[in-house]
Amino acid sequence: MSERLEELDLIKATACNGSDPEATRRQHAKGKLTAHERIALLLDEGSFHEVEQLRRHRATGFGLEDKRPYTDGVITGWGTVHGRTVFVYAHDFRIFGGALGEAHATKIHKVMDMALAAGAPLVSLNDGAGARIQEGVSALAGYGGIFQRHTKASGVIPQISIMLGPCAGGAAYSPALTDFVFMVRDTSQMFITGPDVVQAVTGEKISQNGLGGADVHSTVSGVAHFAYDEERACLEDVRFLLSLLPSNNRELPPSQPCEDQTDQRNEALLTLVPEDPGHVYDVRVVIEEIVDNGEYFEIHADWAPNIVCALVRIGGEVVGVVANQPAAYAGVLTIKASEKAARFVQFCDAFNIALVTLVDVPGFLPGVDQEHNGIIRHGAKLLYAYCNATVPRISLVLRKAYGGAYIVMDSRSIGADLAFAWPGNEIAVMGAEGAAEVIFRRAIKASDTPDALRQQKIKEYRAQLMHPYYAAERGLVDDVIDPRRTREVLVDALAMLRSKHADLPHRKHGNLPQ
């Protein structure tokens, strides 16, 4: 037995360290950690349990029969993050460049099935060269099994993809099916066809980072939710994100004792939002004053910046905040902003995270480009997401809310449980200036003093239809509140709604606007 144990220790050491020390040095020379080093940073110390460590492929041809390393290029298993179970798989770029073959895929399938059965989050550490060409269609079928499992687990367990190397073709579709995508600058890329193919087909010459780097996907395409300069900071934020999420859709997100006062009036909120609806401000400053300890975890911060989506704690409970951002494009709703917010609302609803919507929106962005690219159907995605959500929903009008954008931003008419407003709110079909031009166009045109008459009609419209209590008088706002009491009001309202239960009509699934 002692001899057998020595043999086992040697085999496991080889499986862990790799059979080629030079491969590890090359990985480190690129500024990249090995798969085991990444897992050690992600999970609680000493908690990782590896499965199928000794798995080897059975493929033949093209010299594969002579290269049968343990693990087959992917590390799979489970551990804990902040004491809660998390399943993980990590491509080992030192073996076949992390390329996926049949055995490699089977290991991933197994850990995905285990995560779903156990009701625990799944985190993938992606650093692979795509399908293993030598194994042909078997490798492609392996990707198909991964895609199917991602879809089956969607909305059931949180799924997080961390991009730590080049991922092309099928390797890029897997992260796209998950809830959150993290990327590291310079070392990670995602694209369906690489720069060489792009140049051969279209004549366009571009680098890997220019085509599918972290900055491209976090600011232009919206594929990545987060971008980092180095792996350790990335993995630390993944741990923090997991601390805010429930393990599965049958649980509430983890709460914690709130040490931040909830009943003290906040004088700063009186001056943070300018009275003039045309003046800009950063809504994130308002969020900081409302949430516990001023801390928020923003999602997609660099994509569609005219809307802010963040996970926060209010009164110790995890809440999803959606807020118009007047500091970017005046806070208008655009195609990208609608998609960003809709996806976030759907995620929060799937995992029992209450929603607070901070409204300061002048409308949808007008323009030929927006209309031709489908602002109607893309805006409908956000409308659909809110209407379909059954989690506690609270909306707060900070300043203005005009037209269809007011309805879409979780108004009472589409099912918000509670709607509040600050005393300076303006809720109307459009701004007073535009409304006066439409309603009194002929009178203004015929007037000897059109400018004076225009200003008079603007004042009349604002006084009759845009005063702060118009919506409250009609039951469309539950209360007009003192801004200084905002945090207290939200804490009490969320506590009341925590046990909310709502049933949807029986159906296979809805038909989400595309």
Side-chain angles (χ1 to χ4, degrees), residues 36-364:
H36 282 287
E37 289 169 341
R38 291 163 173 166
I39 290 172
L41 288 173
L42 172 68
L43 301 178
D44 297 336
E45 185 176 357
S47 69
F48 182 55
H49 299 269
E50 188 171 353
V51 296
E52 296 200 1
Q53 183 185 37
L54 306 184
R55 187 74 178 249
R56 304 165 81 182
H57 73 76
R58 297 174 292 181
T60 58
F62 304 101
L64 283 179
E65 61 273 15
D66 299 323
K67 298 178 181 178
R68 300 181 63 239
Y70 293 112
T71 74
D72 200 46
V74 64
I75 313 302
T76 57
W78 80 91
T80 60
V81 173
H82 301 300
R84 296 192 300 149
T85 300
V86 172
F87 287 82
V88 62
Y89 68 86
H91 298 131
D92 190 342
F93 196 81
R94 301 173 304 170
I95 298 174
F96 298 127
L100 180 139
E102 183 180 19
H104 182 122
T106 302
K107 289 182 64 175
I108 295 176
H109 296 169
K110 178 172 182 174
V111 79
M112 294 179 79
D113 291 340
M114 292 173 68
L116 190 59
L122 174 71
V123 178
S124 62
L125 302 166
N126 298 272
D127 187 6
R132 195 174 299 170
I133 299 173
Q134 300 95 318
E135 295 196 31
V137 71
S138 296
L140 297 178
Y143 270 124
I146 293 173
F147 302 157
Q148 183 188 49
R149 286 168 172 82
H150 276 313
T151 304
K152 185 179 179 181
S154 180
V156 181
I157 57 172
Q159 300 180 86
I160 298 173
S161 297
I162 311 172
M163 315 310 294
L164 300 166
C167 296
Y173 279 119
S174 173
L177 290 169
T178 60
D179 299 307
F180 297 103
V181 177
F182 290 72
M183 293 189 74
V184 176
R185 294 183 178 92
D186 298 327
T187 59
S188 66
Q189 300 87 28
M190 295 173 65
F191 35 69
I192 300 303
T193 54
D196 293 340
V197 177
V198 170
Q199 185 175 1
V201 174
T202 69
E204 298 172 290
K205 189 173 183 179
I206 192 168
S207 66
Q208 285 195 343
N209 282 321
L211 181 63
D215 288 324
V216 169
H217 285 311
S218 63
T219 62
V220 180
S221 72
V223 171
H225 299 79
F226 309 93
Y228 297 85
D229 291 327
E230 52 94 21
E231 294 186 15
R232 286 176 172 81
C234 176
L235 293 168
E236 185 61 34
D237 267 7
V238 174
R239 285 177 56 87
F240 181 70
L241 174 58
L242 286 167
S243 74
L244 297 170
L245 305 180
S247 293
N248 56 66
N249 65 344
R250 299 183 301 277
E251 298 180 4
L252 292 174
S255 60
Q256 64 181 33
C258 177
E259 299 176 355
D260 199 5
Q261 289 184 320
T262 61
D263 57 355
Q264 183 175 354
R265 295 195 174 193
N266 190 333
E267 299 293 332
L269 290 174
L270 289 177
T271 57
L272 288 179
V273 178
E275 184 177 352
D276 187 334
H279 287 183
V280 302
Y281 65 95
D282 191 340
V283 76
R284 290 174 295 190
V285 179
V286 177
I287 294 173
E288 288 177 1
E289 297 296 331
I290 293 173
V291 304
D292 294 356
N293 305 310
E295 295 179 350
Y296 62 93
F297 191 66
E298 188 171 356
I299 313 296
H300 256 151
D302 298 320
W303 188 66
N306 42 317
I307 200 158
V308 173
C309 299
L311 290 171
V312 306
R313 288 186 185 276
I314 298 179
E317 305 297 340
V318 178
V319 175
V321 171
V322 180
N324 303 112
Q325 175 57 294
Y329 311 112
V332 295
L333 287 178
T334 58
I335 289 173
K336 290 182 178 179
S338 298
E339 289 188 336
K340 170 180 171 178
R343 172 85 171 167
F344 182 70
V345 169
Q346 287 174 174
F347 174 82
C348 290
D349 185 51
F351 290 102
N352 309 311
I353 299 172
L355 288 162
V356 170
T357 304
L358 305 180
V359 186
D360 190 351
V361 61
F364 284 91

Side-chain angles (χ1 to χ4, degrees), residues 392-428:
R393 292 158 49 190
I394 300 171
S395 67
L396 169 63
V397 179
L398 301 179
R399 187 168 59 173
K400 61 184 179 297
Y402 298 155
Y406 154 68
I407 301 173
V408 171
M409 290 298 294
D410 204 20
S411 63
R412 273 290 302 276
S413 60
I414 65 169
D417 297 296
L418 290 169
F420 300 111
W422 283 359
N425 78 85
E426 294 183 351
I427 303 175

